[in-house]
Amino acid sequence: MNSGSTADIAFLLLIFFLVTTTIASEKGLFLKLPPKQDNQEQDIKKKEKNLFNINANSADRVLVEKEPWEKSLDDLVPKIQEFLLNNGRNPELSDSPKDAVVSVKVNRGTSYELYIEILDVVNRAYNEIYASRVGITAEQFRNLDLKNPADKDKYDRARKNFPRQISIAEPGK
Amino acid sequence: MSKFKKKGKEDPEIPTSALPDIIFMLLFFFMVTTVMRNDNIMVRQKLPQATELSKVEKKSLVSYLYIGTPRETGSHGAEPKIQVNDVLIEPEGIVQWVSQQRDKMSEADRNRITISMKVSKEAKMGIITDVQEELKEANALKLLYTTVKKSNLR
């Protein structure tokens, strides 16, 4: 049999698959929504000092703890970490990481892009703390493979007594 | 110069008999890794960028929901719309869609359903809030905001 054209046929198929392949981009920011029943009472019980408020309005201006935030959002990371790791030292900040909640409240007119940026910054603050608790870099912490028992153990140790509490408040009109 | 010529004369041709095999190997690689896109996306998708990304552990648990401005603005308008399985829906249809997605999954996995939200940058939070309220109603509480990895750090 003449097999000289096999390479050409294979090439054609190869090009077809090259073109149709979309490298899956299944990565993103996880978030757990609160369950349906109204948690409003619980929210009120939270002491003001245990809440770190980040608000954004429809013009994409950010309000952090009732103060306008004019700097880059990246500079918010140390501020959130200071709040989380306070452990009752500063009476205006959180009692303990367990009590601390980062509350994000946006307006219906806020852009999704800004919302993701804020969530990203909050997650970065948490991830850096988690990473430093087990002595690895934030990058390594993000790439921990939870199916691997050694990595899973690290992950659990990092998160022990330090839940990632991000609250997404219902937006104002 | 003469040195190079000498060498060239010794082996004038590259053997091509293994070429089909190499190509076939590449072909199989792409055949195996290719995932055919099963949704025809009707809304524009410009995903936002973020750095703190986590990977999806089990793909079978994930259902996709797209939000963005329709490609065909003539028939669907220019406002961001929600798309699930090839159709544009209103937020009220989400509860039904989630229960359909749940039915497709195995019994044990039904409570672990994850909704991957592929939302375009230009969308406003209003529509996303509506969707999230409906998802709470449907008791699908695990969300993933699909984003692209930010290339230049900080």
Side-chain angles (χ1 to χ4, degrees):
Chain A
M1 204 174 97
N2 186 5
S3 61
S5 55
T6 337
D8 297 341
I9 297 164
F11 249 129
L12 269 174
L13 281 167
L14 176 62
I15 289 164
F16 169 73
F17 279 102
L18 268 172
V19 170
T20 53
T21 299
T22 45
I23 301 295
S25 60
E26 276 329 300
K27 282 181 164 186
L29 302 170
F30 272 103
L31 182 80
K32 215 157 172 199
L33 292 174
K36 177 71 186 162
Q37 66 265 27
D38 277 315
N39 281 12
Q40 301 234 309
E41 284 168 47
Q42 212 182 327
D43 283 349
I44 295 162
K45 262 191 249 159
K46 276 265 173 222
K47 277 189 237 155
E48 183 55 38
K49 66 172 184 174
N50 284 327
L51 275 177
F52 188 86
N53 287 302
I54 304 173
N55 293 25
N57 71 0
S58 55
D60 281 4
R61 304 291 291 273
V62 181
L63 208 62
V64 175
E65 293 282 58
K66 304 197 176 77
E67 302 272 337
W69 187 262
E70 306 289 354
K71 285 181 269 179
S72 153
L73 279 177
D74 291 329
D75 299 328
L76 205 53
V77 174
K79 212 169 144 77
I80 299 171
Q81 287 172 343
E82 188 195 345
F83 162 77
L84 292 173
L85 296 170
N86 183 52
N87 277 318
R89 279 192 293 269
N90 183 340
E92 282 171 24
L93 300 178
S94 71
D95 285 330
S96 75
K98 261 189 197 166
D99 296 310
V101 174
V102 179
S103 162
V104 179
K105 188 172 180 183
V106 292
N107 188 279
R108 288 186 70 87
T110 309
S111 75
Y112 176 68
E113 200 178 1
L114 180 75
Y115 172 69
I116 287 297
E117 259 178 68
I118 294 173
L119 272 189
D120 195 34
V121 163
V122 177
N123 276 311
R124 193 188 304 154
Y126 271 104
N127 283 349
E128 281 177 9
I129 292 173
Y130 289 148
S132 68
R133 290 181 85 190
V134 283
I136 53 178
T137 67
E139 183 77 38
Q140 285 168 321
F141 178 76
R142 278 206 300 278
N143 292 331
L144 286 183
D145 181 9
L146 296 185
K147 282 172 200 139
N148 176 339
D151 280 7
K152 174 88 173 124
D153 174 58
K154 258 190 196 149
Y155 181 83
D156 288 341
R157 264 194 298 139
R159 297 200 52 162
K160 202 174 172 222
N161 291 331
F162 205 132
R164 190 194 296 260
Q165 299 192 99
I166 304 170
S167 139
I168 306 297
E170 216 136 291
K173 292 267 149 74
Chain B
M1 254 338 247
S2 58
K3 258 189 184 169
F4 290 108
K5 258 188 180 168
K6 221 179 173 181
K7 252 194 174 171
K9 266 182 187 168
E10 271 169 12
D11 191 6
E13 262 182 64
I14 309 162
T16 55
S17 56
L19 193 62
D21 298 339
I22 297 164
I23 302 300
F24 263 118
M25 286 251 281
L26 275 171
L27 176 63
F28 285 138
F29 170 73
F30 279 100
M31 278 177 73
V32 169
T33 55
T34 297
V35 183
M36 289 288 174
R37 224 198 342 239
N38 33 17
D39 289 337
N40 175 26
I41 299 169
M42 296 192 293
V43 290
R44 279 206 188 87
Q45 293 268 292
K46 260 178 88 183
L47 298 176
Q49 296 184 328
T51 56
E52 309 299 309
L53 308 184
S54 342
K55 250 183 239 157
V56 174
E57 280 159 48
K58 222 174 148 194
K59 273 206 171 160
S60 58
L61 299 177
V62 182
S63 301
Y64 299 95
L65 191 148
Y66 308 88
I67 299 177
T69 47
R71 278 175 212 268
E72 290 168 35
T73 41
S75 48
H76 301 302
E79 280 299 301
K81 286 267 155 62
I82 306 158
Q83 185 197 343
V84 292
N85 327 318
D86 280 351
V87 282
L88 297 178
I89 59 164
E90 293 299 316
E92 294 79 51
I94 285 176
V95 177
Q96 199 194 352
W97 170 72
V98 171
S99 62
Q100 279 171 3
Q101 294 300 114
R102 277 223 177 90
D103 288 343
K104 285 185 204 160
M105 297 161 75
S106 69
E107 199 85 39
D109 286 342
R110 280 188 191 162
N111 287 326
R112 298 169 63 202
I113 187 168
T114 305
I115 309 293
S116 169
M117 302 245 287
K118 299 199 171 188
V119 186
S120 200
K121 276 183 200 175
E122 71 269 7
K124 296 286 178 203
M125 284 310 291
I127 188 163
I128 292 155
T129 311
D130 294 342
V131 169
Q132 287 179 358
E133 285 306 308
E134 292 298 319
L135 288 176
K136 278 184 204 171
E137 192 77 46
N139 207 23
L141 300 176
K142 274 186 89 179
L143 271 191
L144 175 76
Y145 298 108
T146 308
T147 54
V148 182
K149 177 98 187 162
K150 203 179 257 178
S151 46
N152 49 334
L153 274 163
R154 264 148 252 194

